PDB file of all heavy atoms in Angstrom:
ATOM      1  N   ILE A   1       0.897  -1.180   0.023  1.00 96.00           N
ATOM      2  CA  ILE A   1       0.026   0.008   0.022  1.00 96.00           C
ATOM      3  C   ILE A   1       0.968   1.253   0.015  1.00 96.00           C
ATOM      4  O   ILE A   1       1.540   1.528   0.956  1.00 96.00           O
ATOM      5  CB  ILE A   1      -0.996  -0.019   1.197  1.00 96.00           C
ATOM      6  CG1 ILE A   1      -1.808  -1.243   1.211  1.00 96.00           C
ATOM      7  CG2 ILE A   1      -1.849   1.264   1.224  1.00 96.00           C
ATOM      8  CD1 ILE A   1      -2.668  -1.402   2.535  1.00 96.00           C
ATOM      9  N   PHE A   2       0.972   1.932  -1.133  1.00 95.00           N
ATOM     10  CA  PHE A   2       1.935   3.059  -1.318  1.00 95.00           C
ATOM     11  C   PHE A   2       1.139   4.307  -1.197  1.00 95.00           C
ATOM     12  O   PHE A   2       0.085   4.576  -1.954  1.00 95.00           O
ATOM     13  CB  PHE A   2       2.529   2.962  -2.750  1.00 95.00           C
ATOM     14  CG  PHE A   2       3.499   1.747  -2.910  1.00 95.00           C
ATOM     15  CD1 PHE A   2       2.853   0.515  -3.083  1.00 95.00           C
ATOM     16  CD2 PHE A   2       4.838   1.912  -2.804  1.00 95.00           C
ATOM     17  CE1 PHE A   2       3.715  -0.577  -3.250  1.00 95.00           C
ATOM     18  CE2 PHE A   2       5.657   0.756  -2.946  1.00 95.00           C
ATOM     19  CZ  PHE A   2       5.046  -0.495  -3.167  1.00 95.00           C
ATOM     20  N   ALA A   3       1.643   5.279  -0.363  1.00 92.00           N
ATOM     21  CA  ALA A   3       0.976   6.558  -0.128  1.00 92.00           C
ATOM     22  C   ALA A   3       1.832   7.483   0.503  1.00 92.00           C
ATOM     23  O   ALA A   3       2.724   7.109   1.224  1.00 92.00           O
ATOM     24  CB  ALA A   3      -0.348   6.364   0.661  1.00 92.00           C
ATOM     25  N   GLY A   4       1.585   8.863   0.320  1.00 87.00           N
ATOM     26  CA  GLY A   4       2.185   9.846   1.071  1.00 87.00           C
ATOM     27  C   GLY A   4       1.661   9.997   2.465  1.00 87.00           C
ATOM     28  O   GLY A   4       0.797   9.216   2.849  1.00 87.00           O
ATOM     29  N   SER A   5       2.122  10.944   3.276  1.00 83.00           N
ATOM     30  CA  SER A   5       1.604  11.073   4.670  1.00 83.00           C
ATOM     31  C   SER A   5       0.227  11.735   4.686  1.00 83.00           C
ATOM     32  O   SER A   5      -0.032  12.642   3.833  1.00 83.00           O
ATOM     33  CB  SER A   5       2.569  11.961   5.392  1.00 83.00           C
ATOM     34  OG  SER A   5       2.889  13.222   4.725  1.00 83.00           O
ATOM     35  N   GLY A   6      -0.567  11.159   5.470  1.00 82.00           N
ATOM     36  CA  GLY A   6      -1.844  11.701   5.722  1.00 82.00           C
ATOM     37  C   GLY A   6      -2.932  11.483   4.659  1.00 82.00           C
ATOM     38  O   GLY A   6      -3.928  12.173   4.552  1.00 82.00           O
ATOM     39  N   VAL A   7      -2.679  10.534   3.794  1.00 88.00           N
ATOM     40  CA  VAL A   7      -3.645  10.173   2.688  1.00 88.00           C
ATOM     41  C   VAL A   7      -4.679   9.155   3.074  1.00 88.00           C
ATOM     42  O   VAL A   7      -5.693   9.187   2.482  1.00 88.00           O
ATOM     43  CB  VAL A   7      -2.810   9.713   1.432  1.00 88.00           C
ATOM     44  CG1 VAL A   7      -3.728   9.314   0.258  1.00 88.00           C
ATOM     45  CG2 VAL A   7      -1.843  10.751   0.990  1.00 88.00           C
ATOM     46  N   GLY A   8      -4.281   8.338   4.067  1.00 86.00           N
ATOM     47  CA  GLY A   8      -5.350   7.390   4.539  1.00 86.00           C
ATOM     48  C   GLY A   8      -4.886   5.974   4.589  1.00 86.00           C
ATOM     49  O   GLY A   8      -5.709   5.047   4.589  1.00 86.00           O
ATOM     50  N   LYS A   9      -3.590   5.739   4.758  1.00 89.00           N
ATOM     51  CA  LYS A   9      -3.139   4.314   4.894  1.00 89.00           C
ATOM     52  C   LYS A   9      -3.655   3.664   6.110  1.00 89.00           C
ATOM     53  O   LYS A   9      -4.157   2.524   6.010  1.00 89.00           O
ATOM     54  CB  LYS A   9      -1.551   4.302   5.035  1.00 89.00           C
ATOM     55  CG  LYS A   9      -0.809   4.806   3.799  1.00 89.00           C
ATOM     56  CD  LYS A   9       0.743   4.605   3.872  1.00 89.00           C
ATOM     57  CE  LYS A   9       1.338   5.263   5.067  1.00 89.00           C
ATOM     58  NZ  LYS A   9       1.108   6.762   5.161  1.00 89.00           N
ATOM     59  N   SER A  10      -3.668   4.331   7.267  1.00 87.00           N
ATOM     60  CA  SER A  10      -4.108   3.645   8.488  1.00 87.00           C
ATOM     61  C   SER A  10      -5.608   3.295   8.483  1.00 87.00           C
ATOM     62  O   SER A  10      -6.043   2.322   8.919  1.00 87.00           O
ATOM     63  CB  SER A  10      -3.777   4.551   9.728  1.00 87.00           C
ATOM     64  OG  SER A  10      -2.423   4.734   9.848  1.00 87.00           O
ATOM     65  N   THR A  11      -6.395   4.233   7.813  1.00 90.00           N
ATOM     66  CA  THR A  11      -7.825   3.942   7.692  1.00 90.00           C
ATOM     67  C   THR A  11      -7.993   2.782   6.765  1.00 90.00           C
ATOM     68  O   THR A  11      -8.906   1.906   7.142  1.00 90.00           O
ATOM     69  CB  THR A  11      -8.429   5.193   7.087  1.00 90.00           C
ATOM     70  OG1 THR A  11      -8.198   6.347   7.842  1.00 90.00           O
ATOM     71  CG2 THR A  11      -9.998   5.033   7.063  1.00 90.00           C
ATOM     72  N   LEU A  12      -7.319   2.629   5.651  1.00 94.00           N
ATOM     73  CA  LEU A  12      -7.555   1.496   4.809  1.00 94.00           C
ATOM     74  C   LEU A  12      -7.067   0.221   5.493  1.00 94.00           C
ATOM     75  O   LEU A  12      -7.632  -0.842   5.270  1.00 94.00           O
ATOM     76  CB  LEU A  12      -6.636   1.689   3.482  1.00 94.00           C
ATOM     77  CG  LEU A  12      -6.729   0.630   2.437  1.00 94.00           C
ATOM     78  CD1 LEU A  12      -8.249   0.353   1.997  1.00 94.00           C
ATOM     79  CD2 LEU A  12      -5.930   0.928   1.246  1.00 94.00           C
ATOM     80  N   MET A  13      -5.938   0.291   6.280  1.00 94.00           N
ATOM     81  CA  MET A  13      -5.494  -0.852   7.038  1.00 94.00           C
ATOM     82  C   MET A  13      -6.600  -1.380   7.951  1.00 94.00           C
ATOM     83  O   MET A  13      -6.906  -2.580   7.996  1.00 94.00           O
ATOM     84  CB  MET A  13      -4.307  -0.516   7.822  1.00 94.00           C
ATOM     85  CG  MET A  13      -2.962  -0.469   7.124  1.00 94.00           C
ATOM     86  SD  MET A  13      -1.668   0.144   8.252  1.00 94.00           S
ATOM     87  CE  MET A  13      -1.622  -1.237   9.460  1.00 94.00           C
ATOM     88  N   GLY A  14      -7.255  -0.445   8.635  1.00 92.00           N
ATOM     89  CA  GLY A  14      -8.372  -0.824   9.609  1.00 92.00           C
ATOM     90  C   GLY A  14      -9.560  -1.417   8.786  1.00 92.00           C
ATOM     91  O   GLY A  14     -10.148  -2.479   9.262  1.00 92.00           O
ATOM     92  N   MET A  15      -9.809  -0.964   7.640  1.00 94.00           N
ATOM     93  CA  MET A  15     -10.901  -1.495   6.815  1.00 94.00           C
ATOM     94  C   MET A  15     -10.577  -2.860   6.453  1.00 94.00           C
ATOM     95  O   MET A  15     -11.430  -3.808   6.499  1.00 94.00           O
ATOM     96  CB  MET A  15     -11.137  -0.610   5.596  1.00 94.00           C
ATOM     97  CG  MET A  15     -11.719   0.762   5.835  1.00 94.00           C
ATOM     98  SD  MET A  15     -11.852   1.853   4.393  1.00 94.00           S
ATOM     99  CE  MET A  15     -13.133   0.959   3.402  1.00 94.00           C
ATOM    100  N   ILE A  16      -9.288  -3.177   6.003  1.00 96.00           N
ATOM    101  CA  ILE A  16      -8.913  -4.455   5.608  1.00 96.00           C
ATOM    102  C   ILE A  16      -8.965  -5.430   6.745  1.00 96.00           C
ATOM    103  O   ILE A  16      -9.395  -6.568   6.620  1.00 96.00           O
ATOM    104  CB  ILE A  16      -7.484  -4.528   4.909  1.00 96.00           C
ATOM    105  CG1 ILE A  16      -7.616  -3.672   3.590  1.00 96.00           C
ATOM    106  CG2 ILE A  16      -7.000  -5.911   4.691  1.00 96.00           C
ATOM    107  CD1 ILE A  16      -6.221  -3.329   2.980  1.00 96.00           C
ATOM    108  N   VAL A  17      -8.418  -5.046   7.859  1.00 94.00           N
ATOM    109  CA  VAL A  17      -8.362  -5.908   9.070  1.00 94.00           C
ATOM    110  C   VAL A  17      -9.791  -6.275   9.476  1.00 94.00           C
ATOM    111  O   VAL A  17     -10.108  -7.418   9.820  1.00 94.00           O
ATOM    112  CB  VAL A  17      -7.601  -5.283  10.309  1.00 94.00           C
ATOM    113  CG1 VAL A  17      -7.762  -6.096  11.580  1.00 94.00           C
ATOM    114  CG2 VAL A  17      -6.186  -5.069   9.927  1.00 94.00           C
ATOM    115  N   ARG A  18     -10.671  -5.209   9.478  1.00 93.00           N
ATOM    116  CA  ARG A  18     -12.148  -5.551   9.977  1.00 93.00           C
ATOM    117  C   ARG A  18     -12.830  -6.342   8.976  1.00 93.00           C
ATOM    118  O   ARG A  18     -13.699  -7.287   9.279  1.00 93.00           O
ATOM    119  CB  ARG A  18     -12.901  -4.214  10.154  1.00 93.00           C
ATOM    120  CG  ARG A  18     -12.578  -3.464  11.432  1.00 93.00           C
ATOM    121  CD  ARG A  18     -13.646  -2.526  11.827  1.00 93.00           C
ATOM    122  NE  ARG A  18     -13.949  -1.661  10.580  1.00 93.00           N
ATOM    123  CZ  ARG A  18     -13.258  -0.537  10.277  1.00 93.00           C
ATOM    124  NH1 ARG A  18     -12.239  -0.169  11.040  1.00 93.00           N
ATOM    125  NH2 ARG A  18     -13.655   0.162   9.231  1.00 93.00           N
ATOM    126  N   GLY A  19     -12.694  -6.080   7.693  1.00 94.00           N
ATOM    127  CA  GLY A  19     -13.402  -6.772   6.690  1.00 94.00           C
ATOM    128  C   GLY A  19     -12.884  -8.193   6.170  1.00 94.00           C
ATOM    129  O   GLY A  19     -13.513  -8.865   5.430  1.00 94.00           O
ATOM    130  N   SER A  20     -11.632  -8.435   6.541  1.00 94.00           N
ATOM    131  CA  SER A  20     -10.983  -9.582   6.075  1.00 94.00           C
ATOM    132  C   SER A  20     -11.659 -10.905   6.592  1.00 94.00           C
ATOM    133  O   SER A  20     -12.116 -10.934   7.686  1.00 94.00           O
ATOM    134  CB  SER A  20      -9.502  -9.609   6.520  1.00 94.00           C
ATOM    135  OG  SER A  20      -8.980 -10.889   6.438  1.00 94.00           O
ATOM    136  N   GLU A  21     -11.573 -11.934   5.863  1.00 87.00           N
ATOM    137  CA  GLU A  21     -12.227 -13.218   6.161  1.00 87.00           C
ATOM    138  C   GLU A  21     -11.203 -14.156   6.929  1.00 87.00           C
ATOM    139  O   GLU A  21     -11.570 -15.292   7.397  1.00 87.00           O
ATOM    140  CB  GLU A  21     -12.615 -14.008   4.938  1.00 87.00           C
ATOM    141  CG  GLU A  21     -11.401 -14.266   3.965  1.00 87.00           C
ATOM    142  CD  GLU A  21     -11.817 -15.109   2.770  1.00 87.00           C
ATOM    143  OE1 GLU A  21     -12.980 -15.425   2.609  1.00 87.00           O
ATOM    144  OE2 GLU A  21     -10.947 -15.406   1.971  1.00 87.00           O
ATOM    145  N   ALA A  22      -9.890 -13.604   7.162  1.00 94.00           N
ATOM    146  CA  ALA A  22      -8.839 -14.472   7.740  1.00 94.00           C
ATOM    147  C   ALA A  22      -9.275 -14.661   9.200  1.00 94.00           C
ATOM    148  O   ALA A  22      -9.673 -13.775   9.924  1.00 94.00           O
ATOM    149  CB  ALA A  22      -7.510 -13.790   7.657  1.00 94.00           C
ATOM    150  N   PRO A  23      -9.135 -15.942   9.767  1.00 96.00           N
ATOM    151  CA  PRO A  23      -9.386 -16.287  11.123  1.00 96.00           C
ATOM    152  C   PRO A  23      -8.389 -15.630  12.079  1.00 96.00           C
ATOM    153  O   PRO A  23      -8.694 -15.401  13.257  1.00 96.00           O
ATOM    154  CB  PRO A  23      -9.374 -17.733  11.155  1.00 96.00           C
ATOM    155  CG  PRO A  23      -8.489 -18.214   9.983  1.00 96.00           C
ATOM    156  CD  PRO A  23      -8.646 -17.123   8.949  1.00 96.00           C
ATOM    157  N   ILE A  24      -7.142 -15.355  11.581  1.00 97.00           N
ATOM    158  CA  ILE A  24      -6.107 -14.779  12.418  1.00 97.00           C
ATOM    159  C   ILE A  24      -5.484 -13.591  11.829  1.00 97.00           C
ATOM    160  O   ILE A  24      -5.222 -13.582  10.611  1.00 97.00           O
ATOM    161  CB  ILE A  24      -4.959 -15.862  12.723  1.00 97.00           C
ATOM    162  CG1 ILE A  24      -5.430 -17.193  13.324  1.00 97.00           C
ATOM    163  CG2 ILE A  24      -3.878 -15.223  13.577  1.00 97.00           C
ATOM    164  CD1 ILE A  24      -5.948 -16.984  14.740  1.00 97.00           C
ATOM    165  N   LYS A  25      -5.331 -12.512  12.640  1.00 97.00           N
ATOM    166  CA  LYS A  25      -4.824 -11.270  12.118  1.00 97.00           C
ATOM    167  C   LYS A  25      -3.595 -10.765  12.998  1.00 97.00           C
ATOM    168  O   LYS A  25      -3.717 -10.658  14.137  1.00 97.00           O
ATOM    169  CB  LYS A  25      -5.900 -10.246  12.012  1.00 97.00           C
ATOM    170  CG  LYS A  25      -7.126 -10.574  11.172  1.00 97.00           C
ATOM    171  CD  LYS A  25      -8.387  -9.954  11.592  1.00 97.00           C
ATOM    172  CE  LYS A  25      -9.572 -10.466  10.675  1.00 97.00           C
ATOM    173  NZ  LYS A  25     -10.833  -9.980  11.220  1.00 97.00           N
ATOM    174  N   VAL A  26      -2.504 -10.602  12.273  1.00 98.00           N
ATOM    175  CA  VAL A  26      -1.351 -10.105  12.980  1.00 98.00           C
ATOM    176  C   VAL A  26      -0.911  -8.696  12.430  1.00 98.00           C
ATOM    177  O   VAL A  26      -0.754  -8.520  11.177  1.00 98.00           O
ATOM    178  CB  VAL A  26      -0.107 -11.107  12.792  1.00 98.00           C
ATOM    179  CG1 VAL A  26       1.091 -10.546  13.380  1.00 98.00           C
ATOM    180  CG2 VAL A  26      -0.468 -12.379  13.290  1.00 98.00           C
ATOM    181  N   VAL A  27      -0.927  -7.679  13.346  1.00 97.00           N
ATOM    182  CA  VAL A  27      -0.553  -6.271  12.840  1.00 97.00           C
ATOM    183  C   VAL A  27       0.749  -5.917  13.526  1.00 97.00           C
ATOM    184  O   VAL A  27       0.950  -5.922  14.740  1.00 97.00           O
ATOM    185  CB  VAL A  27      -1.751  -5.410  13.291  1.00 97.00           C
ATOM    186  CG1 VAL A  27      -1.518  -3.989  12.814  1.00 97.00           C
ATOM    187  CG2 VAL A  27      -3.132  -5.893  12.702  1.00 97.00           C
ATOM    188  N   ALA A  28       1.578  -5.429  12.663  1.00 97.00           N
ATOM    189  CA  ALA A  28       2.890  -4.822  13.200  1.00 97.00           C
ATOM    190  C   ALA A  28       2.869  -3.402  13.000  1.00 97.00           C
ATOM    191  O   ALA A  28       2.805  -2.838  11.813  1.00 97.00           O
ATOM    192  CB  ALA A  28       4.050  -5.490  12.452  1.00 97.00           C
ATOM    193  N   LEU A  29       2.930  -2.547  14.071  1.00 96.00           N
ATOM    194  CA  LEU A  29       3.057  -1.148  13.982  1.00 96.00           C
ATOM    195  C   LEU A  29       4.528  -0.741  14.270  1.00 96.00           C
ATOM    196  O   LEU A  29       4.892  -0.668  15.472  1.00 96.00           O
ATOM    197  CB  LEU A  29       2.136  -0.444  14.857  1.00 96.00           C
ATOM    198  CG  LEU A  29       0.643  -0.834  14.810  1.00 96.00           C
ATOM    199  CD1 LEU A  29      -0.265  -0.196  15.757  1.00 96.00           C
ATOM    200  CD2 LEU A  29       0.123  -0.318  13.348  1.00 96.00           C
ATOM    201  N   ILE A  30       5.275  -0.447  13.269  1.00 96.00           N
ATOM    202  CA  ILE A  30       6.759  -0.288  13.368  1.00 96.00           C
ATOM    203  C   ILE A  30       7.118   1.165  13.057  1.00 96.00           C
ATOM    204  O   ILE A  30       6.827   1.691  12.028  1.00 96.00           O
ATOM    205  CB  ILE A  30       7.498  -1.142  12.358  1.00 96.00           C
ATOM    206  CG1 ILE A  30       7.013  -2.615  12.527  1.00 96.00           C
ATOM    207  CG2 ILE A  30       8.880  -1.013  12.517  1.00 96.00           C
ATOM    208  CD1 ILE A  30       7.314  -3.194  13.942  1.00 96.00           C
ATOM    209  N   GLY A  31       7.736   1.859  14.122  1.00 92.00           N
ATOM    210  CA  GLY A  31       8.278   3.185  13.970  1.00 92.00           C
ATOM    211  C   GLY A  31       7.223   4.302  13.916  1.00 92.00           C
ATOM    212  O   GLY A  31       7.608   5.400  13.528  1.00 92.00           O
ATOM    213  N   GLU A  32       5.922   3.983  14.206  1.00 86.00           N
ATOM    214  CA  GLU A  32       5.010   4.962  14.227  1.00 86.00           C
ATOM    215  C   GLU A  32       4.932   5.815  15.438  1.00 86.00           C
ATOM    216  O   GLU A  32       5.532   5.345  16.439  1.00 86.00           O
ATOM    217  CB  GLU A  32       3.606   4.360  13.910  1.00 86.00           C
ATOM    218  CG  GLU A  32       3.550   3.577  12.645  1.00 86.00           C
ATOM    219  CD  GLU A  32       3.746   4.494  11.344  1.00 86.00           C
ATOM    220  OE1 GLU A  32       3.182   5.535  11.310  1.00 86.00           O
ATOM    221  OE2 GLU A  32       4.531   4.179  10.468  1.00 86.00           O
ATOM    222  N   ARG A  33       4.150   6.925  15.428  1.00 87.00           N
ATOM    223  CA  ARG A  33       3.936   7.708  16.633  1.00 87.00           C
ATOM    224  C   ARG A  33       3.235   6.882  17.662  1.00 87.00           C
ATOM    225  O   ARG A  33       2.231   6.164  17.347  1.00 87.00           O
ATOM    226  CB  ARG A  33       3.267   9.001  16.340  1.00 87.00           C
ATOM    227  CG  ARG A  33       4.020   9.851  15.391  1.00 87.00           C
ATOM    228  CD  ARG A  33       3.232  11.188  14.999  1.00 87.00           C
ATOM    229  NE  ARG A  33       2.170  10.867  14.091  1.00 87.00           N
ATOM    230  CZ  ARG A  33       2.274  10.804  12.806  1.00 87.00           C
ATOM    231  NH1 ARG A  33       3.444  11.106  12.261  1.00 87.00           N
ATOM    232  NH2 ARG A  33       1.315  10.548  11.955  1.00 87.00           N
ATOM    233  N   GLY A  34       3.522   7.164  19.012  1.00 86.00           N
ATOM    234  CA  GLY A  34       2.934   6.408  20.079  1.00 86.00           C
ATOM    235  C   GLY A  34       1.472   6.635  20.194  1.00 86.00           C
ATOM    236  O   GLY A  34       0.701   5.696  20.464  1.00 86.00           O
ATOM    237  N   ARG A  35       1.111   7.865  19.797  1.00 89.00           N
ATOM    238  CA  ARG A  35      -0.391   8.210  19.821  1.00 89.00           C
ATOM    239  C   ARG A  35      -1.255   7.357  18.821  1.00 89.00           C
ATOM    240  O   ARG A  35      -2.367   7.131  19.132  1.00 89.00           O
ATOM    241  CB  ARG A  35      -0.469   9.680  19.531  1.00 89.00           C
ATOM    242  CG  ARG A  35      -1.583  10.249  18.932  1.00 89.00           C
ATOM    243  CD  ARG A  35      -1.634  11.668  18.534  1.00 89.00           C
ATOM    244  NE  ARG A  35      -1.051  11.924  17.190  1.00 89.00           N
ATOM    245  CZ  ARG A  35      -1.607  11.692  16.097  1.00 89.00           C
ATOM    246  NH1 ARG A  35      -2.788  11.174  16.083  1.00 89.00           N
ATOM    247  NH2 ARG A  35      -1.057  11.969  14.957  1.00 89.00           N
ATOM    248  N   GLU A  36      -0.530   6.933  17.752  1.00 88.00           N
ATOM    249  CA  GLU A  36      -1.231   6.188  16.716  1.00 88.00           C
ATOM    250  C   GLU A  36      -1.690   4.772  17.108  1.00 88.00           C
ATOM    251  O   GLU A  36      -2.593   4.244  16.535  1.00 88.00           O
ATOM    252  CB  GLU A  36      -0.394   6.153  15.443  1.00 88.00           C
ATOM    253  CG  GLU A  36      -0.258   7.509  14.799  1.00 88.00           C
ATOM    254  CD  GLU A  36       0.547   7.395  13.503  1.00 88.00           C
ATOM    255  OE1 GLU A  36       1.374   6.523  13.338  1.00 88.00           O
ATOM    256  OE2 GLU A  36       0.276   8.206  12.542  1.00 88.00           O
TER     257      GLU A  36
END
């Protein structure tokens, strides 16, 4: 997922995690702001 800052990567990630049919979901938040 390629995008500049503030375009909506995190929102799309959330949509994919919520809507995915996968029984197990592993999310790695690397180097992001603590608030996020």
Side-chain angles (χ1 to χ4, degrees):
I1 300 173
F2 296 78
S5 56
V7 180
K9 293 190 300 299
S10 297
T11 305
L12 181 59
M13 282 175 61
M15 291 173 71
I16 292 171
V17 173
R18 282 198 312 275
S20 162
E21 60 176 4
I24 303 291
K25 298 153 187 177
V26 179
V27 181
L29 301 176
I30 308 299
E32 299 300 315
R33 294 177 288 273
R35 153 185 84 78
E36 291 183 330

